[in-house]
């Protein structure tokens, strides 16, 4: 199984996975457990990635704050000069517009979206047993076996 899926691949895969084959309800019941494990693994993978990028963002944000506040080491300014004097109150504006910070924030948001999507798929998987039971009951009813 692929655990490095993009969000789009995750959507396509989950659509296939959560579809119930109403002809083979017995196999679908067994498959429910395997699907739950699959999406729990994906959920935890995406959650860990989201948390990693969150903490990377916080670390970089501190470094960037020091940079814009003029508190970084001289080596930092030698490698990447910043010849502006800005007021402390203006530092948040620079942080919000910083490309490196925004790149990490986008990655965090992306993995958070994947994690949230997996969480919704898990909710759907958890309701499969009820859906399968309803399919079986409907068939019994239609065949006149519901007594």
């Amino acid at each position: 199984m692929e655990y490095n899926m993009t969000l789009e691949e995750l959507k396509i895969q989950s659509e296939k996975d959560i579809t119930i084959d109403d002809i083979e309800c017995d196999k679908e019941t067994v498959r429910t457990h395997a699907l739950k494990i699959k999406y729990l693994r994906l959920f935890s993978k995406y959650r860990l990635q989201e948390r990693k990028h969150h903490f990377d963002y916080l670390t970089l944000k501190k470094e960037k704050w020091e940079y814009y506040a003029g508190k970084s080491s001289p080596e930092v300014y030698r490698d990447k000069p910043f010849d502006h004097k800005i007021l402390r109150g203006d530092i948040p504006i620079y942080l919000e517009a910083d490309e490196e910070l925004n790149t990490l924030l986008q990655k965090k948001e992306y993995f958070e979206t994947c994690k949230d999507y997996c969480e919704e798929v898990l909710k759907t998987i958890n309701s499969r047993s009820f859906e399968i039971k309803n399919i079986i009951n409907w068939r019994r009813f239609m065949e006149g076996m519901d007594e």
Side-chain angles (χ1 to χ4, degrees):
M1 175 181 26
E2 179 67 39
Y3 286 107
N4 293 320
M5 287 188 267
T6 65
L7 179 58
E8 202 54 42
E9 292 168 336
L10 176 63
K11 288 177 180 179
I12 291 167
Q13 182 67 48
S14 67
E15 286 174 22
K16 292 176 188 172
D17 285 343
I18 62 176
T19 301
I20 297 173
D21 180 353
D22 62 346
I23 304 299
E24 305 216 22
C25 289
D26 56 336
K27 290 181 182 175
E28 289 297 322
T29 301
V30 173
R31 197 166 76 97
T32 299
H33 182 69
L35 289 174
K36 188 180 279 189
I37 291 170
K38 175 182 179 177
Y39 285 93
L40 279 172
R41 286 182 178 159
L42 285 166
F43 174 84
S44 64
K45 174 201 170 261
Y46 290 125
R47 185 177 192 291
L48 289 171
Q49 287 293 319
E50 180 253 330
R51 299 308 300 159
K52 176 196 176 304
H53 284 87
H54 173 74
F55 292 118
D56 289 349
Y57 172 82
L58 293 177
T59 300
L60 185 60
K61 186 176 179 181
K62 177 190 162 284
E63 292 171 9
K64 292 290 186 168
W65 185 91
E66 290 173 347
Y67 175 77
Y68 292 124
K71 297 181 181 276
S72 291
S73 68
E75 297 83 33
V76 171
Y77 296 109
R78 184 183 61 230
D79 296 340
K80 189 176 177 187
F82 186 71
D83 300 328
H84 307 302
K85 287 285 184 187
I86 59 173
L87 300 172
R88 278 188 190 255
D90 292 338
I91 292 174
I93 294 168
Y94 284 82
L95 292 173
E96 288 174 5
D98 188 271
E99 287 183 37
E100 290 177 279
L101 280 174
N102 284 328
T103 297
L104 276 178
L105 193 56
Q106 287 171 351
K107 288 178 181 178
K108 177 204 172 288
E109 294 291 328
Y110 178 80
F111 285 110
E112 185 174 359
T113 301
C114 292
K115 176 199 72 163
D116 292 346
Y117 189 84
C118 284
E119 188 171 30
E120 290 303 313
V121 171
L122 281 165
K123 288 177 186 176
T124 302
I125 291 169
N126 284 332
S127 70
R128 279 173 62 91
S129 297
F130 299 109
E131 291 176 33
I132 292 168
K133 183 178 181 212
N134 286 340
I135 291 168
I136 292 169
N137 287 341
W138 179 251
R139 276 207 195 118
R140 284 183 176 165
F141 174 76
M142 293 305 290
E143 292 173 5
M145 295 174 47
D146 191 41
E147 292 184 26

